[in-house]
Amino acid sequence: MNVLPGRIEAMQFAAPFCSLKIRIEAYQWHIIVLETPETAPYLRFDAKIDVLFKETDVLLSRDQPKGISAQNMCQVAIQHINTGGMLSRVSLRLNDQSMLALVTSEAVQKLALRPGQMVFALINSHALQLAP
């Protein structure tokens, strides 16, 4: 499980949902949760919060994607690739934060991914979870 620290920058409510803008490093991510400040007191402006997501929910792109629905994107450096028969574990670095992506080994080969390369990591809003 990836865990990145963030800070709540904006909130919008339409019960039972809460739409949040979270600052993670230099990026603003969009998250929708099935909670409100009444049901989850940690949902407050400027609160520090951890953003969690699975390694399998991370998509990688060599080029900055345009015209897609995924709203959460950051440029990361590939630190290490552990290539397996079907799946590869890609260790990524976002400034001082580490994260992992689990992608097919075929994708690693087709994208010609290698350590030291800068790529874009994308995560759908619905794949994110929050922890106070």
Side-chain angles (χ1 to χ4, degrees):
M1 182 70 71
N2 289 303
V3 180
L4 296 178
R7 183 177 299 277
I8 297 175
E9 287 191 328
M11 298 186 291
Q12 252 185 307
F13 313 106
F17 299 104
C18 184
S19 173
L20 303 166
K21 300 289 185 187
I22 309 278
R23 175 67 52 189
I24 298 175
E25 297 283 340
Y27 301 94
Q28 186 180 68
W29 285 16
H30 180 237
I31 301 170
I32 297 176
V33 294
L34 187 60
E35 305 216 58
T36 64
E38 291 77 34
T39 61
Y42 64 89
L43 294 178
R44 63 185 187 285
F45 179 75
D46 208 36
K48 291 181 181 179
I49 196 145
D50 286 335
V51 178
L52 295 78
F53 52 98
K54 295 186 288 187
E55 294 87 345
T56 53
D57 288 328
V58 179
L59 302 174
L60 299 176
S61 175
R62 288 177 50 139
D63 301 311
Q64 184 170 3
K66 296 183 182 185
I68 61 170
S69 63
Q71 297 180 38
N72 303 312
M73 175 185 343
C74 54
Q75 192 172 29
V76 295
I78 297 176
Q79 290 188 296
H80 179 73
I81 301 173
N82 185 2
T83 305
M86 297 283 271
L87 296 174
S88 292
R89 187 175 184 183
V90 183
S91 300
L92 306 166
R93 195 84 180 149
L94 171 63
N95 297 327
D96 294 332
Q97 307 300 321
S98 295
M99 57 193 276
L100 296 171
L102 190 61
V103 299
T104 65
S105 296
E106 182 179 355
V108 169
Q109 184 180 27
K110 282 185 177 182
L111 292 171
L113 299 180
R114 64 189 185 291
Q117 185 179 23
M118 297 299 291
V119 296
F120 290 88
L122 296 93
I123 304 95
N124 280 324
S125 297
H126 62 78
L128 302 173
Q129 302 172 20
L130 299 177

